Amino acid sequence: EPEVTQTPSHQVTQMGQEVILRCVPISNHLYFYWYRQILGQKVEFLVSFYNNEISEKSEIFDDQFSVERPDGSNFTLKIRSTKLEDSAMYFCASGLRNQPQHFGDGTRLSIL
Amino acid sequence: KNEVEQSPQNLTAQEGEFITINCSYSVGISALHWLQQHPGGGIVSLFMLSSGKKKHGRLIATINIQEKHSSLHITASHPRDSAVYICAVSPTGNQFYFGTGTSLTVIP
């Protein structure tokens, strides 16, 4: 069965550094999402992406965040100048219209 | 402000019991999702509902749009059902609000 894959599984970065989290969605999916889950807290929506542009973004998704689908297969989340509070598990998901999403296993981001 | 409230927060059941997890929401929605988060952290989508009832194996999900309420039922619960069950709602199909999850433990 096709899967959403995320790399790396764990990323450790110094505060203030840029980080790029990578996702390979399922190949025929058209809708892409990023979520985050701070340890012990609920999952939070960051951004949705369709037709090469952002569809919706949450209040969390401020100017330090950006998303890109650079080559038609990867879907990346960039955090420009990381803060301690960016430490979380980041999940990518993909789907088709009116269908349940498929989630990746997540990238654990640790900011030191 | 919590757009999605789940109850109970924690639930312990004996194997074989019938389990109900509830979700109430305060926003208009286009769809409601039930998700399962495994102890290792991975998330699996169980159901996407906009009306009525859906069944998959031992899992049943219902939604009452007028009352803004959904339930997830597990029949004949099994220890492998132990996980966190999360309700999420989408007003537009492109933005999502999540509940805090219900942590289910099924004891053999």
Side-chain angles (χ1 to χ4, degrees):
Chain A
E1 187 175 322
E3 290 182 341
V4 176
T5 55
Q6 290 187 243
T7 55
S9 56
H10 191 190
Q11 174 81 47
V12 182
T13 301
Q14 291 288 331
M15 186 172 61
Q17 297 294 307
E18 175 181 286
V19 66
I20 297 176
L21 309 182
R22 302 183 191 278
C23 171
V24 179
I26 293 172
S27 61
N28 64 326
H29 285 183
L30 301 175
Y31 297 82
F32 313 106
Y33 311 87
W34 282 102
Y35 303 94
R36 80 172 185 190
Q37 186 175 32
I38 295 169
L39 187 64
Q41 297 187 22
K42 65 181 180 181
V43 178
E44 298 172 291
F45 167 77
L46 292 177
V47 67
S48 58
F49 192 87
Y50 169 73
N51 201 24
N52 286 319
E53 59 183 28
I54 290 173
S55 306
E56 294 256 10
K57 57 184 181 179
S58 70
E59 292 173 353
I60 303 166
F61 195 89
D62 61 22
D63 291 344
Q64 67 161 153
F65 291 92
S66 62
V67 289
E68 200 176 34
R69 194 145 192 262
D71 56 12
S73 61
N74 291 284
F75 180 50
T76 61
L77 175 69
K78 183 191 289 186
I79 310 174
R80 249 177 287 280
S81 177
T82 50
K83 307 183 202 121
L84 293 175
E85 55 263 38
D86 294 327
S87 295
M89 183 76 94
Y90 288 81
F91 292 100
C92 171
S94 69
L96 296 168
R97 184 173 177 80
N98 295 326
Q99 296 292 319
Q101 296 172 35
H102 293 246
F103 288 79
D105 287 338
T107 292
R108 181 166 299 285
L109 177 63
S110 299
I111 307 300
L112 305 179
Chain B
K1 169 177 120 172
N2 287 324
E3 291 83 4
V4 182
E5 300 279 356
Q6 284 186 239
S7 63
Q9 282 191 311
N10 298 286
L11 182 55
T12 301
Q14 288 291 132
E15 184 173 355
E17 281 186 18
F18 181 85
I19 287 161
T20 296
I21 299 169
N22 295 299
C23 174
S24 297
Y25 53 92
S26 58
V27 296
I29 66 168
S30 63
L32 180 143
H33 300 251
W34 281 103
L35 310 170
Q36 181 191 54
Q37 187 166 30
H38 299 295
I43 297 174
V44 173
S45 183
L46 299 174
F47 294 104
M48 177 177 165
L49 289 165
S50 54
S51 65
K53 176 177 168 177
K54 286 191 176 179
K55 184 174 189 289
H56 186 253
R58 294 180 295 105
L59 301 178
I60 303 165
T62 64
I63 188 168
N64 185 318
I65 296 291
Q66 287 74 28
E67 294 186 3
K68 294 186 174 171
H69 181 268
S70 175
S71 293
L72 176 68
H73 305 286
I74 304 175
T75 62
S77 58
H78 190 276
R80 65 175 173 265
D81 297 327
S82 298
V84 176
Y85 292 84
I86 300 169
C87 173
V89 301
S90 178
T92 62
N94 293 317
Q95 183 157 21
F96 299 84
Y97 300 103
F98 290 79
T100 53
T102 294
S103 178
L104 171 66
T105 303
V106 181
I107 299 169

